[in-house]
Structures are given as structure tokens and as C-alpha cells.
Amino acid sequence: MMQPVPPDRLDSAIQFVELLRAAVHEHEVPANIRNRAAGSCLAISREHYKGIVLLIEHQIFAPAFALLRVEFEAYVRGEWLALCATDDEVSTFVNGGRPPEFNVLVKALEETSSFEASVLSLIKRSSWDTMCGYTHTGGIHIQRWNTPDSIEANYGPEEVLEVLYFAETIGGMCVIGMAALSDSEALAVRVGGAIKANAAKWKTDL
């Protein structure tokens, strides 16, 4: 039987969801097509993060793990639309066209000052295959549904905590991205401080 997330960790996660929700509640950004496209991706990514927390709260782990790639991908697309896409690319995307491949988005973002530390590439190199395996029910996900005696959820507690922390970090970065759409340095600094405090308290080395 899997062990539930410790109550204090779960309470903290739920509080962080609310902190980020309150931070952008009625936050205004200039109403143009680029901001609407980028802001929608960032808001959707944050909604995926909230979904991950709620699923983990109810010990529904398979979809929580599956949403991790979806959250990350929506975040990267939102930042690409905000910082890199041409006007034609924004219009094409909003009208249902496909954006460039994910590697192209990451490369373009890391040519900007906001992402020159290459954190996105590091995440992709270290975690993308695993995230895809969880999203698309690959072998790594099948492994988490087998025990010596049965087919049932068998995620390691450390894995669940790692997913929770990663989801929180991307959720916070989404709000910083929203702040950038309106040049709200105060909001970015406030949420950046919350992310650092959360990292100091809960970050894993896994």
C-alpha cells in the first residue's frame, strides 16, 4: 500500500496553489493577441499544476504524473509566444496552427536574456523522456503499476514529492511569466520570493 503524502507537505502544496491564484486574480495585462495567446498558455499550465496537486491530494497518481509534461510544455509555449514568436507565428498558433517543435522553442527561448542560463535545456535533457513515458504510458509508467503480487499503483513516496515540487516550481514560473506580460516587477519579485522559500523548504535532490 502506497504511503500518502505527509499532511504538512500536502497542506503547503494547497496553500501554494492558493498563493499563485491570488497573485494573478484580476491581474491586468495589455489586451493584444500576443498577450492573450501567451497568457492563455501560462494560465493553462498553472491550471495543470493545480490539477496535479488535487490529484495527489486524492492519491490519484497516474494522471498527476501524466500532467507533468503537459504543464511544462504549456509553460514553454507560453513563454515562446511572449518572447520569441513573430506576429505571423502568434496569429497562426491562435488560429489552430502548429507551433515549431519543442526543441526549437527551447532553443529560441534560451537565446533571450530571460533564459540564457539554459535551465529549460537542462530540464529537457534530464527529465523529458521520463515525462513522456508518464504521459504516454510508456514502460516507466507500467513499472509504477506492478508489484510482486498485483497490478496496482506503486509509486515511490520520493517520486511523488519530486513531482509535486517540480509542478509547484513551473506553476510559480507561469505567474512570473504573467507578470512580465504587464511589466509588473513587483509581482515577479513577490512570486519569485515565494518560489525560493518553497525551494528552501521542500526541494529534493532526486
Side-chain angles (χ1 to χ4, degrees), residues 102-123:
F102 194 73
N103 284 337
V104 176
L105 305 187
V106 170
K107 183 177 185 298
L109 279 169
E110 292 187 341
E111 291 173 353
T112 71
S113 59
S114 298
F115 292 93
E116 61 186 359
S118 300
V119 173
L120 299 178
S121 290
L122 177 62
I123 293 171

Side-chain angles (χ1 to χ4, degrees), residues 30 36-37 46 56 91 93 102 123 145 159 182:
R36 286 183 177 275
R46 189 174 60 84
I56 289 175
S91 179
F93 183 82
F102 194 73
I123 293 171
W145 274 81
E159 292 179 304
S182 59

Side-chain angles (χ1 to χ4, degrees), residues 25 43 52 89 132 137 139 142 160 163 167 182-183 190 196:
H25 181 61
I52 289 168
E89 286 173 325
C132 291
T137 318
I142 298 302
V160 177
V163 163
S182 59
D183 295 321
R190 178 157 54 93
K196 289 179 181 178

